[in-house]
């Protein structure tokens, strides 16, 4: 595989478009090795610390033990999520894990937009507390890593290993596109990885506390109940879903 640097401005297509790995782990590691060899310190992993996130952290630690990992700390995550992050920091002490906070505190947001903005306009809340902080994080990065999988939702079914990210004008690397939900958990259990205990309580996808509910499905089910919304906006081309 060529080491030509793929940038947003010069993006001509996924260099792995014809790559079909023999197994999921081999595929993810191959893409991650390429990404970190190509981008070095100018690639960031934006991690939500969900099941896919735990897998990617373990894989990334094998490729670049001191990789930069950013968690968008909205201030309204579950306590279980923060406890998991502490466990991950202890297990992978070399990783550079940054807790990125929004410009507005929750009190400042309530003063400007009203209380519980997530109940009235979740798109605006996501923009303030997640999208804008990631924009700031990626302003000095050429590429970023994401745990998107094709089977998660209809909006993600065409995700490639390497993508031109119009939302952040960056390159988005997605090593897990062929992983199934079952295989994610097989990897977690096989490697005895810590994970968010809320997964054991019926939460397939875990985000901010007010906008996440237990659900019998998988993928994005359980997010933003009552709204026509399945994405926070990080993986779409605009602020609205």
């Amino acid at each position: 595989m060529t080491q030509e640097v793929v940038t947003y401005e010069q993006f001509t297509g996924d260099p792995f478009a014809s790559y079909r790995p023999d197994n999921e782990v081999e595929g993810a590691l191959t893409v991650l090795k390429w990404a970190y060899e190509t981008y070095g310190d100018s690639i960031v992993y934006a991690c939500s610390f969900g099941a896919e996130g735990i897998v990617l952290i373990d894989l990334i630690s094998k490729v670049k033990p001191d990789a930069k990992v950013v968690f968008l700390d909205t201030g309204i995550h579950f306590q279980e999520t923060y406890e998991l992050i502490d466990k991950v920091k202890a297990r992978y002490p070399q990783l550079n894990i940054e807790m990125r906070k929004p410009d507005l505190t929750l009190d400042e947001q309530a003063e400007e937009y009203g209380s519980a903005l997530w109940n009235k306009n979740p798109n605006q809340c996501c923009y303030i507390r997640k999208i804008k902080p990631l924009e700031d994080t990626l302003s000095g990065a050429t590429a970023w890593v994401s745990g998107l999988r094709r089977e998660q939702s209809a909006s993600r079914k065409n995700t490639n290993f390497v993508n031109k990210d119009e939302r952040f004008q960056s390159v988005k690397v997605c090593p897990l596109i062929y992983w199934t939900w079952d295989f994610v958990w097989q990897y977690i259990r096989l490697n005895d990885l810590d994970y968010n205990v809320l997964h054991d309580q019926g939460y397939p996808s875990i985000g901010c506390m007010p906008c996440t509910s237990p659900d019998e499905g998988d993928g994005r089910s359980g997010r933003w109940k009552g709204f026509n919304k399945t994405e926070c906006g990080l993986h779409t081309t605009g602020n609205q879903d």
Side-chain angles (χ1 to χ4, degrees), residues 4-156:
E4 179 182 353
V5 177
V6 179
T7 65
Y8 172 81
E9 294 79 9
Q10 300 170 331
F11 192 90
T12 58
D14 180 8
F16 291 91
S18 61
Y19 177 53
R20 295 295 181 270
D22 292 333
N23 64 69
E24 293 90 336
V25 176
E26 174 194 309
L29 284 172
T30 296
V31 173
L32 284 171
K33 287 174 183 175
W34 171 87
Y36 281 99
E37 288 173 2
T38 300
Y39 298 108
D41 292 331
S42 65
I43 186 170
V44 174
Y45 175 32
C47 182
S48 65
F49 287 85
E52 294 90 350
I54 294 302
V55 167
L56 269 177
I57 280 179
D58 189 68
L59 294 172
I60 288 172
S61 73
K62 302 178 189 301
V63 174
K64 187 171 173 59
D66 61 344
K68 182 177 181 179
V69 178
V70 173
F71 175 67
L72 302 176
D73 186 5
T74 62
I76 43 177
H77 285 287
F78 290 92
Q79 180 60 33
E80 289 86 347
T81 301
Y82 293 111
E83 290 171 358
L84 172 62
I85 293 172
D86 288 339
K87 293 178 181 178
V88 170
K89 288 180 177 179
R91 181 165 183 157
Y92 308 96
Q94 288 182 267
L95 283 181
N96 178 17
I97 298 177
E98 175 187 342
M99 308 285 281
R100 188 70 184 242
K101 295 182 179 295
D103 291 336
L104 296 180
T105 66
L106 288 170
D107 288 341
E108 290 168 340
Q109 178 173 298
E111 183 176 344
E112 185 168 347
Y113 296 95
S115 61
L117 179 60
W118 46 84
N119 288 334
K120 296 174 291 187
N121 190 345
N123 287 318
Q124 181 68 35
C125 188
C126 285
Y127 180 78
I128 294 169
R129 311 208 71 75
K130 296 183 74 173
I131 298 171
K132 184 59 168 61
L134 187 58
E135 284 180 346
D136 296 340
T137 297
L138 296 181
S139 63
T142 306
W144 64 298
V145 178
S146 172
L148 297 188
R149 295 181 297 107
R150 287 184 174 182
E151 75 160 14
Q152 283 176 315
S153 65
S155 63
R156 301 181 177 189

Side-chain angles (χ1 to χ4, degrees), residues 190-206:
L190 182 64
N191 293 279
D192 195 26
L193 302 182
D194 294 309
Y195 62 87
N196 198 318
V197 296
L198 291 175
H199 286 305
D200 295 332
Q201 300 173 30
Y203 291 80
S205 177
I206 301 167

